[in-house]
Amino acid sequence: MLKGFKDFLLRGNVVDLAVAVVMGTAFVAIVTAFSNGIINPLLAVFGGSDELGLGFQLVADKPATFIAIGPIITAALNFVIIASLLYFIVVVPTNKAKNRWGTAEAAATELELLAEIRDLLAAGPEHSGGKHES
C-alpha cells in the first residue's frame, strides 16, 4: 500500500500540480502587492473625495449600502495580470519546448518500434522476411 502511495506522489501529474500551486501563490502575492501599491491608488484618484473609494451609495448616509466598484476592477486586473504572466512565462515556453524536443507520446512510439525490431531480430531471419546467410 505504501508503494502505491509513493508511486502516486511521484507521478508527474501530482508533482506538476504541486509546482503549479506554489507558482500560482507566488504570482498572486506579487500581483496583489502591485495592485495595492499602484492600481488601488490610481482608482482612488477617480473615486473622488469619498473615503469609501470608487463606487456609489444606494441610500444616502448609510455606508452599508455602498457598492464598491474599485475592488471589482482590482480583482479583474489581478486576474488578467496573473493569467497573462502564467501564459507568457509558463505556457509559451512549455509549448516551444514540446515542439522542439517532441513529446512523451513520440518517445513511447519509438520505444514500441524498437521493441518490435528486437522481437523480430530475436525470432530469427526466417521471420524477418530477409534472406540472410550465416
Side-chain angles (χ1 to χ4, degrees):
M1 180 163 51
L2 290 176
K3 182 184 182 314
F5 183 67
K6 177 183 155 193
D7 293 342
F8 169 74
L9 288 179
L10 295 178
R11 191 179 326 170
N13 296 344
V14 175
V15 173
D16 292 344
L17 181 60
V19 170
V21 167
V22 170
M23 288 179 61
T25 304
F27 277 126
V28 167
I30 292 169
V31 172
T32 301
F34 175 78
S35 295
N36 291 337
I38 297 174
I39 294 175
N40 289 345
L42 289 175
L43 289 175
V45 169
F46 298 109
S49 61
D50 190 5
E51 65 186 45
L52 296 175
L54 182 62
F56 56 93
Q57 198 151 349
L58 294 175
V59 177
D61 298 330
K62 284 193 174 183
T65 62
F66 184 77
I67 296 178
I69 298 174
I72 296 170
I73 294 171
T74 301
L77 288 174
N78 284 352
F79 174 78
V80 170
I81 291 169
I82 290 170
S84 60
L85 283 174
L86 287 175
Y87 179 75
F88 289 110
I89 294 175
V90 177
V91 174
V92 170
T94 302
N95 289 341
K96 284 185 180 181
K98 282 183 182 178
N99 290 339
R100 184 177 215 175
W101 293 300
T103 62
E105 293 174 6
T109 304
E110 290 175 8
L111 288 175
E112 290 172 359
L113 289 173
L114 288 172
E116 286 182 34
I117 293 170
R118 179 200 63 212
D119 294 343
L120 287 172
L121 289 173
E126 64 275 357
H127 294 290
S128 65
K131 295 182 181 178
H132 300 283
E133 293 185 21
S134 301

